Amino acid sequence: MTDPEIQKTIDSYLAALRKQLRELMEEDARDIVEEIRGHILDKTSGGSSPEQVSATLAALGTPEELAARYRTEELLRRAQLTRSPLVSLRSLLHWATLSFTGIVVFVVSVFGYAVGGALVIFAALKAAFPRATGLWKNVQPDRSWGLSLSFSNGTPPPGQEILGWWVLPIGLLLGTALLLLTFRFGTWMIRKFWRPRALPQPDGPTNLTCVGGA
Amino acid sequence: MVVADSAEKWEIQLRKGSLELAILASLWDGTLYGLEILRHLESSSDLVVVEGTVYPLLNRLRTLGLVASEWVESDSGHPRKYYRLTPAGRQRALEMARVWAQFSASMASLLAPLKKELRKENP
């Protein structure tokens, strides 16, 4: 391997690492890549042989493994501190790729956010289009009846509107409560059940090796 | 070999758990950059630390506010990220060291009966 080839090996390692860290904040990711670059350069300074470079990169793990350690630490920390449902949901998505519990929590959360969000939007529509938005009870000639939830700009559906204006506060309250509950559920589950042991351990038994010693 | 397997797992957990204290302790006397911390750990203990685990851990200690970091230009042509203990980090290191000392002392007395056997294995 020639010098440009060594450089290419290092560069492609760092580029792969950078790509794997895209979930992190731009500044943090750049910081990490620069630190690892410095480490590799320090390790291989003074006439770097290809073997030396390979050994240095191997000791760091693959870009995927290394990034996973950063990401997991970072997501876990952010998920526990966050007040943003979006960050929480992204962490849950990451968790879903790691374990079955993660998948269940993610699906439940998506459902909770969707229904909660729909209720809030429904309440907002009632405020905007009061005549056409609401809950209608529709009694058929054979005395069977159905409920229809309607929101449109057009004419109200047939039948008797129930709840009326109450749809607004109830939808708003129920929707907000459900959104909050879903958020709390997600962060609580992460805190309670997402432990490092549930995460892949790319470091394996070579994480720390004891040598020598009597 | 279920027994051997679980003993190995236990060992990994034990070493993982102690790495945090080992890093905090290596920063007790001053600022070091990542590779210096690694070399310090290897030279002053019989621990060989896999490099890919130390940098993410340093990153976590930083976000926890136990260490602070600073980029410093160097003669080598590229900047280095130096770490130092924050007051909170110093306090944490001290607490951990205290627990460690107590724990290892009580373990040592518990393990005393096994010592003879160990000496036979490693004369």
Side-chain angles (χ1 to χ4, degrees), chain B residues 8-68:
Chain B
E8 192 179 284
K9 268 188 191 158
W10 176 78
E11 199 179 334
I12 293 168
Q13 291 306 319
L14 185 64
R15 284 171 174 171
K16 254 190 193 166
S18 49
L19 185 56
E20 193 173 318
L21 174 57
I23 290 177
L24 292 176
S26 63
L27 290 170
W28 188 261
D29 284 328
T31 64
L32 298 172
Y33 61 92
L35 190 54
E36 281 181 328
I37 295 172
L38 277 160
R39 286 181 177 147
H40 179 80
L41 291 177
E42 285 176 15
S43 66
S44 48
S45 69
D46 55 2
L47 295 174
V48 173
V49 185
V50 169
E51 299 165 359
T53 61
V54 167
Y55 287 99
L57 189 49
L58 278 168
N59 192 49
R60 186 164 70 95
L61 294 175
R62 188 177 56 83
T63 55
L64 288 172
L66 299 179
V67 303

Side-chain angles (χ1 to χ4, degrees), chain A residues 41-65:
Chain A
L41 293 177
D42 278 336
K43 275 285 230 182
T44 57
S45 66
S48 52
S49 69
E51 291 76 29
Q52 218 173 338
V53 174
S54 308
T56 301
L57 297 184
L60 287 170
T62 66
E64 290 76 23
E65 286 168 349

